[in-house]
Amino acid sequence: MKYKVRFVNPQKQYKDHQKEYLKVVDDVFSRGDLILRKDLEEFEEKFAKFVGTKYAIGVNSGTDALSLSMKAAGIGQGDEVIVPGHTFMASISAVFHQGATPVLIDVGEDFNINPNLIEKAITPKTKAIEVVHLNGRIADMEKILSIAKKHNLIIIEDAAQGLGAKMKMKNGKWKQAGSFGLAGCFSFYPFKSLGAFGDAGAVTTNHPEIAWRVRLLRYNGEDRETRRFYFHGETSLLDNVQAALLNAKLRYLNQWLKRRREIANFYKKGLGNIPEIKLPHFGDSRFFDVYQNYVIRAENRDSLVSWLAKKGIETIISWEVPNYKQPVMQPNSIILPETEKICKEVVSLPMYPELTNWEVGYVIKCIKEFYKKKD
Ligand SMILES: *Cc1c(COP(=O)(O)O)cnc(C)c1O
């Protein structure tokens, strides 16, 4: 199928920055700086600054960022971790990898964990809340932080989709995804807002002990200064060349996030009057959304998806089946009503900074045609 509007388009970003990216790679390779070199250190410093934490530790994926920070936080056998049911499976797998038990609870209209359901899920075994900031919108951290404080629970943030999303706190200060919890976990999977050329991730934290542990855990458990092994670790590094490329890309991140918000506004203007669809604009001026994904809820979702495909527009559905119905999660008796509804209704529209205004307009036009067609 030849698409007119691709769901993602990494070639286009590459073309726009080809000279710069190739120069970065050539420079790194010419220096022979492959593992744990200055480009990684520089990226960790800049990334921590961007998110607003003291430390950032590069690792090889968002999934490992979750696993290593949970391990560093001491989450293990016998512990329960409260997790939103509507999320990428990795959020849940990371809990299982610690030998702990994920306790899935439902989400709200903003697709994020429903804070009103958290306290009911707390048991004497609960050790942590894993908050996911889905689609580039922060979960209601004001409420979640106060619940965590009251019950003495750790917060681990799955910020893989939250980079750059902000929330205005009661004290009037804006705080970014990844800076609220004991640890923030990021993914630089190629199609995230800041994408590497392959798999990559990072952990952010303000806690020196967590930073030290993640740093050791990502590289066999060895303290590189004393040459002593303190843990049985992994080999899970952010490659120096990827870090160098991410350094180059980080300079454009704010500009790219701005463009995502602009495209979201075009969608809002163009699609706002169609009663059969619900757009991901949830009001509340305390939230600064960055639209990692633009997820609409649509009547006749599956026919809309086929119609758009016929028009040459690529979309994806995240996710068609709730996590707890996947084979790996069987058997269980979980039913989360909002998650079930979401899985039947959602479709993600193309959303990346390189989309042209014409492409966005074409997507809008075709969706309008689909709903007009019916009456
Ligand atoms: C992408 C993603 C991850 C995993 O990141 P990888 O780098 O692909 O391992 C985890 N959680 C969420 C919500 C994600 O979107």
Side-chain angles (χ1 to χ4, degrees):
M1 170 104 204
K2 184 119 174 53
Y3 286 106
K4 271 198 188 118
V5 187
R6 301 301 313 250
F7 188 73
V8 290
N9 196 341
Q11 309 90 303
K12 192 141 178 264
Q13 193 202 75
Y14 178 64
K15 281 239 174 71
D16 291 347
H17 298 268
Q18 186 170 15
K19 270 201 192 131
E20 185 185 359
Y21 293 168
L22 286 179
K23 190 174 172 300
V24 168
V25 172
D26 184 54
D27 178 42
V28 168
F29 287 179
S30 302
R31 280 187 268 126
D33 281 349
L34 305 182
I35 293 282
L36 295 177
R37 296 292 155 164
K38 69 167 191 188
D39 305 273
L40 176 62
E41 280 175 25
E42 192 184 317
F43 175 67
E44 290 176 336
E45 208 171 290
K46 283 190 194 158
F47 190 72
K49 205 164 171 197
F50 185 92
V51 171
T53 55
K54 282 202 190 117
Y55 311 97
I57 304 98
V59 295
N60 81 351
S61 70
T63 302
D64 273 5
L66 287 166
S67 266
L68 298 181
S69 51
M70 285 187 199
K71 190 176 264 185
I75 293 168
Q77 210 140 32
D79 294 331
E80 290 178 359
V81 178
I82 295 172
V83 188
H86 184 65
T87 181
F88 184 50
M89 187 64 88
S91 320
I92 297 166
S93 304
V95 180
F96 279 116
H97 288 323
Q98 312 315 312
T101 307
V103 175
L104 272 54
I105 68 169
D106 213 354
V107 295
E109 275 212 318
D110 62 353
F111 302 111
N112 282 326
I113 193 164
N114 183 341
N116 303 326
L117 302 176
I118 294 175
E119 285 198 293
K120 270 179 267 175
I122 294 174
T123 75
K125 289 181 177 168
T126 308
K127 175 121 180 185
I129 306 169
E130 183 189 346
V131 179
V132 183
H133 308 299
L134 210 64
N135 302 329
R137 181 182 177 89
I138 291 206
D140 189 344
M141 292 313 294
E142 195 88 62
K143 279 192 189 159
I144 295 166
L145 284 168
S146 82
I147 295 169
K149 197 169 171 198
K150 182 171 154 200
H151 297 272
N152 197 22
L153 301 175
I154 291 167
I155 291 179
I156 302 286
E157 293 176 75
D158 180 341
Q161 298 191 8
L163 179 56
K166 291 183 261 197
M167 183 177 179
K168 194 177 187 178
M169 307 303 280
K170 270 197 201 114
N171 65 9
K173 289 209 173 109
W174 289 92
K175 240 171 123 62
Q176 278 207 41
S179 70
F180 295 92
L182 185 64
C185 305
F186 289 91
S187 166
F188 309 121
Y189 170 75
F191 306 120
K192 299 283 160 68
S193 296
L194 181 65
F197 292 82
D199 287 314
V203 174
T204 52
T205 183
N206 283 317
H207 300 258
E209 178 73 18
I210 295 291
W212 180 78
R213 285 188 205 167
V214 172
R215 216 173 277 285
L216 266 60
L217 285 168
R218 73 171 172 181
Y219 203 39
N220 311 113
E222 185 185 14
D223 183 334
R224 305 276 294 163
E225 275 167 27
T226 62
R227 307 303 303 271
R228 291 291 176 273
F229 289 79
Y230 290 92
F231 306 102
H232 291 296
E234 316 283 335
T235 301
S236 176
L237 295 170
L238 172 57
D239 293 327
N240 194 66
V241 69
Q242 295 282 11
L245 287 158
L246 289 169
N247 265 329
K249 286 189 169 199
L250 193 55
R251 285 200 289 276
Y252 301 104
L253 183 57
N254 275 324
Q255 181 185 319
W256 286 338
L257 295 178
K258 195 168 158 221
R259 175 66 183 157
R260 282 176 183 271
R261 284 169 54 81
E262 190 175 75
I263 293 167
N265 267 328
F266 288 152
Y267 277 137
K268 187 180 174 193
K269 270 199 202 129
L271 301 171
N273 291 327
I274 303 175
E276 291 95 338
I277 61 180
K278 241 194 237 167
L279 303 179
H281 301 271
F282 309 108
D284 199 334
S285 60
R286 293 176 303 153
F287 292 85
F288 181 90
D289 301 343
V290 290
Y291 302 95
Q292 161 66 58
N293 308 302
Y294 195 83
V295 182
I296 66 169
R297 296 172 77 148
E299 272 178 34
N300 294 317
R301 190 260 322 265
D302 294 339
S303 321
L304 173 65
V305 167
S306 319
W307 166 264
L308 292 176
K310 250 190 280 164
K311 296 282 176 182
I313 296 166
E314 191 180 18
T315 58
I316 65 163
I317 295 172
S318 300
W319 298 268
E320 232 169 334
V321 179
N323 282 311
Y324 49 85
K325 289 190 173 161
Q326 293 290 351
V328 67
M329 298 286 287
Q330 297 302 320
N332 65 63
S333 56
I334 306 167
I335 298 171
L336 304 175
E338 189 67 22
T339 297
E340 305 254 333
K341 253 178 91 192
I342 285 172
C343 290
K344 291 194 185 96
E345 296 173 359
V346 288
V347 50
S348 309
L349 304 183
M351 170 56 85
Y352 45 92
E354 294 78 22
L355 272 179
T356 64
N357 291 353
W358 181 87
E359 288 173 312
V360 180
Y362 179 69
V363 174
I364 291 168
K365 178 174 149 266
C366 293
I367 294 175
K368 278 183 163 166
E369 275 172 19
F370 174 78
Y371 286 106
K372 243 196 228 128
K373 199 174 54 118
K374 287 197 312 149
D375 49 47

